[in-house]
Amino acid sequence: MKLYDSESPLSAKAAKPSAFSSGRRKKLKFWHYLYFSKVPSYRKEIRETRLMYHKALQLVKYLCGEIKSSKPDYKRASSILKSPLLLAAELGVCEVVEEIIKTFPDAIWFTNEKNHSVFHLAVLKRQEKVFNLLFQMSGHKHLLLMSQDVDGNNILPLAGKLAPEYQLNRIPGAALQMQRELQWFEEIEKIVKPNYKEDKNSKEEAPAMIFTEKHKKLVKDGEKWMKDTASSCSIAAALIFTERQPSRSLRGYADNGIPNFYREAAFKIFIISDALSLSSSIAAIIMFLSILTARNAEYDFLYSLPKGLIWGLFMLFVSLITLMVAFCATVFLVLCNQKANWLFGLVVGSALVPVFMYSVSQFPLLWELFISTYRPGIFRKQGTRVLY
């Protein structure tokens, strides 16, 4: 059945990625889910969203089942299934791609006018969920990886091209965007046979040359973003280092040279926190300086620069917390004999404000850096069923 502009119901469904769980662009964090799941309105919305996903998938399965029951030949199946299959691959709707391949396994050979197959499009559009279906295939996947488009590119040069802007915008910061691009290129390079890694296209361009040429601007933007971030954080670390110095004058010594509060537990907490604040702030400054003086080559964005920023932000967080602990311990030593509990509580509350502000402003960045750098990988087998 065809609708207007020769669009079928299956292709119309494939054009709506938001109706499927794989097309969900923004995932809730774990703590957000715990909070929202306790709010009745959000619980209802979550149930309705899950029901929508289920109904959309059932509709796709029904449509594919009707097509399969007609037992179409390759030409007829191509006219019905090629458009929704390639559209779903571009938009990242892996449910539709998987159901179509289950319905007609030879659909993996469908290509567009540029001779791009499902997995070529998945690489070009950076749709990892669709590309992961490749790992559920038998030896035929190597034929797909070796196939070339009209410009003589196999799948590796396609990974060397810049990702679409809407995909890059989903990743915060140019440095993390560059890191993701490198991860894609490296992962595709691992699964391509060695003799195809240096294959040149019709323009005599090797995959590495294409990657370098297409990512010049992103490298510059990533370098600027990384250095701006490191510069701002190093100033904050230096301020923390200078702010802790006045607290040393509060220690006070008796006539025999022993500190006045030597036997107080709060004094020991103050000494430990003060030392940790000093060492962690210096460590943070060193890490940020290493980023500022780094050469910032392409592959530095894969591990070395993100690791340096992770450790720098973590040390900055430790120095801020220990500074606040040392400050609270100092205030307690001054007010312990004054019976001013309300004043001490007010001071502790005010000390928590900068810690909270730092956590809200910088922890999301630290978490994104950690996940992007240390996660197992974006490519993995998603199921045990062999598709083809």
Side-chain angles (χ1 to χ4, degrees), residues 31-292:
W31 50 88
H32 290 164
Y33 183 83
L34 288 178
Y35 170 73
F36 290 148
S37 63
K38 294 179 182 179
V39 180
S41 59
Y42 282 108
R43 280 208 308 267
K44 182 181 178 183
E45 184 178 345
I46 290 171
R47 285 197 302 269
E48 290 177 350
T49 303
R50 286 177 175 173
L51 182 61
M52 178 185 69
Y53 294 157
H54 177 72
K55 287 185 175 180
L57 183 57
Q58 291 303 311
L59 177 56
V60 169
K61 287 182 176 181
Y62 175 78
L63 292 171
C64 288
E66 289 295 307
I67 294 169
K68 187 176 182 178
S69 64
S70 66
K71 298 180 180 179
D73 56 15
Y74 186 87
K75 185 178 180 181
R76 175 64 177 160
S78 177
S79 67
I80 300 173
L81 296 174
K82 184 167 80 169
S83 177
L85 176 68
L86 299 180
L87 181 61
E90 284 192 34
L91 299 178
V93 190
C94 67
E95 293 93 341
V96 175
V97 174
E98 187 171 1
E99 288 303 322
I100 290 176
I101 294 176
K102 287 178 183 177
T103 301
F104 191 74
D106 283 337
I108 64 167
W109 305 112
F110 293 162
T111 58
N112 62 9
E113 66 280 359
K114 293 185 178 180
N115 204 35
H116 290 152
S117 68
V118 169
F119 300 107
H120 288 95
L121 290 172
V123 172
L124 277 170
K125 303 300 181 180
R126 301 300 191 264
Q127 302 292 357
E128 62 267 19
K129 291 181 180 178
V130 174
F131 190 81
N132 282 336
L133 295 175
L134 187 75
F135 297 101
Q136 294 177 233
M137 295 178 61
S138 59
H140 294 91
K141 64 184 177 184
H142 297 296
L143 296 175
L144 287 168
L145 294 173
M146 291 185 295
S147 62
Q148 297 181 341
D149 63 9
V150 293
D151 296 320
N153 294 309
N154 61 40
I155 205 165
L156 185 57
L158 298 182
K161 295 185 177 182
L162 189 65
E165 189 174 351
Y166 67 88
Q167 289 285 34
L168 290 176
N169 290 338
R170 294 171 58 191
I171 304 170
L176 286 176
Q177 292 171 4
M178 186 62 195
Q179 183 188 43
R180 179 60 63 85
E181 289 291 274
L182 284 164
Q183 289 171 345
W184 266 94
F185 190 76
E186 275 211 337
E187 291 292 338
I188 300 297
E189 196 174 33
K190 289 177 183 177
I191 61 177
V192 173
K193 289 188 175 181
N195 54 325
Y196 285 90
K197 292 180 182 179
E198 299 299 328
D199 269 6
K200 294 183 179 181
N201 59 16
S202 57
K203 297 179 181 179
E204 294 299 314
E205 297 172 323
M209 293 168 56
I210 294 174
F211 185 89
T212 300
E213 181 64 30
K214 297 295 184 181
H215 290 82
K216 279 183 179 179
K217 185 178 183 301
L218 190 59
V219 169
K220 291 181 180 178
D221 293 342
E223 180 181 1
K224 184 178 183 301
W225 181 88
M226 188 68 75
K227 289 191 173 182
D228 288 346
T229 304
S231 179
S232 302
C233 292
S234 61
I235 293 172
L239 286 173
I240 291 174
F241 174 77
T242 55
E243 283 299 321
R244 56 163 293 282
Q245 296 302 320
S247 63
R248 300 178 65 181
S249 61
L250 297 176
R251 295 181 184 181
Y253 293 91
D255 294 336
N256 58 2
I258 298 176
N260 292 328
F261 303 106
Y262 176 72
R263 297 185 181 279
E264 296 287 341
F267 181 74
K268 295 176 182 178
I269 293 174
F270 165 74
I271 292 294
I272 295 171
S273 301
D274 193 51
L276 286 174
S277 179
L278 170 64
S279 58
S280 56
S281 60
I282 292 175
I285 293 172
I286 292 172
M287 294 306 300
F288 293 132
L289 285 177
S290 69
I291 293 173
L292 291 171

